[in-house]
């Protein structure tokens, strides 16, 4: 049973930084995509970044302008991170991590690729 548990959200001032974490458990495969999505208030969910667990290849939404970094740690458990710098009010959203079934590379930032979702964590930038 795959579970994704996020942490690290909160409130921050414009220009600040936050790091989100997502612990993934219950996987038996080593080749799948882990992604971050966000849903701003009153808007549709959008893809932010993804990483392929097999080789660590990353993918970002173009609008982020290099401010976010996605990474993974597979030492003991698989943990997905999203380092967010230079935060802007428009980054305010519920951030959710997601995981696909086994899939060949590359990852995509399409919700349809992802089968498992965390509960989401609120990020507020003011």
């Amino acid at each position: 049973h795959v579970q994704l548990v996020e942490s690290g959200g909160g409130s921050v001032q414009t220009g600040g930084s936050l790091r989100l974490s997502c612990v993934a458990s219950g996987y038996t495969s080593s080749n799948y995509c882990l992604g971050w999505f966000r849903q701003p208030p009153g808007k549709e969910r959008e893809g932010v970044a993804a990483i392929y667990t097999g080789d660590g290849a990353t993918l970002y939404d173009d609008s982020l302008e290099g401010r976010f970094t996605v990474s993974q740690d597979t030492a003991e458990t698989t943990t997905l991170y999203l380092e967010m710098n230079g935060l802007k009010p428009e980054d305010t959203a519920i951030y959710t991590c997601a995981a696909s079934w086994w899939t060949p590379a590359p990852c995509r930032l399409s919700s349809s690729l992802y089968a498992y979702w965390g509960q989401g964590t609120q990020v507020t930038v003011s």
Side-chain angles (χ1 to χ4, degrees):
H1 178 63
V2 176
Q3 284 191 309
L4 302 171
V5 180
E6 302 110 331
S7 61
S11 296
V12 65
Q13 292 186 335
T14 298
S17 298
L18 281 175
R19 187 174 82 156
L20 306 182
S21 301
C22 173
V23 177
S25 61
Y27 259 96
T28 57
S29 170
S30 59
N31 295 319
Y32 55 96
C33 293
L34 289 170
W36 286 102
F37 290 77
R38 68 183 182 183
Q39 186 166 18
K43 296 185 178 181
E44 297 292 317
R45 183 167 58 194
E46 58 191 26
V48 175
I51 188 167
Y52 190 65
T53 61
D55 61 7
T58 57
L59 172 68
Y60 296 92
D61 181 78
D62 292 340
S63 68
L64 297 177
E65 303 170 319
R67 298 181 295 118
F68 292 8
T69 303
V70 64
S71 62
Q72 63 174 345
D73 180 355
T74 58
E76 294 186 3
T77 59
T78 298
T79 303
L80 176 69
Y81 298 102
L82 185 67
E83 186 76 35
M84 305 184 292
N85 299 307
L87 284 163
K88 306 175 181 180
E90 51 263 44
D91 294 318
T92 295
I94 297 173
Y95 285 72
T96 306
C97 67
S100 69
W101 287 310
W102 179 93
T103 185
C107 293
R108 303 188 307 277
L109 291 177
S110 171
S111 297
S112 62
L113 176 64
Y114 298 85
Y116 305 100
W117 296 82
Q119 80 283 1
T121 185
Q122 177 70 46
V123 171
T124 303
V125 186
S126 60

